Amino acid sequence: MTQKKIPKVRVLVVDDDLRIADLHKRFLEKDTDFEVVGLANTIADAREMIEILEPDLLLLDLFFPVDNGMDLLHQVRMGKKPCDVILITAAREIGFLQEAIRGGVFDYIVKPVFLPRLQEALRKFHDYFSQTYQETPLDQRVVDRLLHPGLKSKVEKKSDMPKGIDTLTLSKVRTVFEAADTQSFNAEEVGKQIGVSRSTARRYLEYLVSEGFLTADLLYGAVGRPERRYFKG
């Protein structure tokens, strides 16, 4: 069975502050799972770019000199083009958060942006994007992980993890196997995909084996040492 290759998440940054928009663009460009397809500095430009570029995700400010991000959020939700929204705003009133939640926002980040918090939101979105792109049957574990990331299993709780294992890298390793459910990888191949050394990748792979997410097997070639390969299941 051939698995779909997960494409990059196509992102449109919508912010009237050119410096902030460029900062978000530079931050996203460091992550190979994301691609910035445009910068919009007005709501009118954003509407047009959404129609033409069909992004997967908006990083959307709330306040603009003309129109506002909340209206755009509602318009996106009523439209036919699939697009998710992470609101990034200086609005601290609870009413804005409530309206954003009702409008189906994926996340809500308060300015000034703490970059690790933005990175966490992007990782969660990529996890969601990867799972939904595969269109595989759901079980409750997958549903809970996508809709309620705060209720993750012990495998993903930082407090329960051994030294040398962090949640972001662990999530990247899991995504490699979720994107290619029937394919096996060795530590070097996984390391190249997520940008870590072979020894670091092996540490995460062995951890996931111990938790039952992965299975390992030794494959013997014609010559040389046997190769340890990992697969989901």
Side-chain angles (χ1 to χ4, degrees), residues 203-217:
R203 181 168 69 247
Y204 283 86
L205 291 167
E206 291 297 332
Y207 175 75
L208 289 174
V209 169
S210 71
E211 295 293 334
F213 179 78
L214 296 180
T215 300
D217 197 5

Side-chain angles (χ1 to χ4, degrees), residues 1 3-6 134 172-194 198 201-202 204-206 208-209 213-219 227-233:
M1 176 179 174
Q3 296 291 316
K4 290 184 178 180
K5 181 180 179 182
I6 305 300
Q134 288 296 329
K172 288 183 179 181
V173 176
R174 291 172 64 97
T175 299
V176 169
F177 290 89
E178 288 170 346
D181 198 34
T182 61
Q183 187 174 350
S184 68
F185 299 93
N186 61 29
E188 184 175 2
E189 291 167 341
V190 172
K192 287 181 179 180
Q193 288 201 47
I194 67 173
R198 180 174 59 182
R202 183 182 295 112
Y204 283 86
L205 291 167
E206 291 297 332
L208 289 174
V209 169
F213 179 78
L214 296 180
T215 300
D217 197 5
L218 289 176
L219 297 184
E227 180 184 37
R228 189 166 174 83
R229 297 191 69 84
Y230 302 84
F231 55 94
K232 187 177 175 185

Side-chain angles (χ1 to χ4, degrees), residues 8-148:
K8 292 184 177 183
V9 176
R10 305 175 73 254
V11 184
L12 175 63
V13 179
V14 187
D15 198 303
D16 65 324
D17 189 319
L18 297 177
R19 295 171 301 173
I20 293 179
D22 186 63
L23 177 64
H24 291 162
K25 177 177 180 291
R26 290 172 181 268
F27 183 75
L28 284 161
E29 286 175 342
K30 295 178 181 179
D31 193 322
T32 57
D33 291 327
F34 293 84
E35 175 188 6
V36 178
V37 296
L39 301 178
N41 302 122
T42 68
I43 295 297
D45 285 346
R47 291 193 189 101
E48 184 174 356
M49 288 184 177
I50 291 170
E51 185 68 26
I52 296 172
L53 300 174
E54 299 185 342
D56 304 304
L57 176 67
L58 303 185
L59 295 189
L60 175 63
D61 191 13
L62 193 58
F63 300 123
F64 289 79
V66 179
D67 297 321
N68 66 79
M70 200 69 77
D71 288 341
L72 181 61
L73 169 63
H74 295 315
Q75 290 165 8
V76 166
R77 284 289 161 261
M78 291 187 295
K80 296 181 179 179
K81 296 185 183 299
C83 182
D84 286 290
V85 177
I86 294 177
L87 272 181
I88 301 178
T89 175
R92 297 173 180 269
E93 295 82 0
I94 190 64
F96 286 113
L97 175 60
Q98 291 173 321
E99 186 175 356
I101 292 172
R102 295 182 187 116
V105 71
F106 187 85
D107 206 342
Y108 189 105
I109 298 177
V110 178
K111 291 182 178 180
V113 176
F114 183 50
L115 290 182
R117 174 64 177 83
L118 176 58
Q119 184 180 41
E120 178 187 6
L122 293 172
R123 283 293 99 212
K124 288 179 180 177
F125 182 79
H126 188 264
D127 190 22
Y128 161 80
F129 180 80
S130 300
Q131 187 67 49
T132 55
Y133 191 82
Q134 288 296 329
E135 299 179 349
T136 53
L138 297 174
D139 58 31
Q140 192 61 51
R141 178 189 63 83
V142 173
V143 172
D144 289 345
R145 180 157 55 85
L146 295 178
L147 294 183
H148 308 289

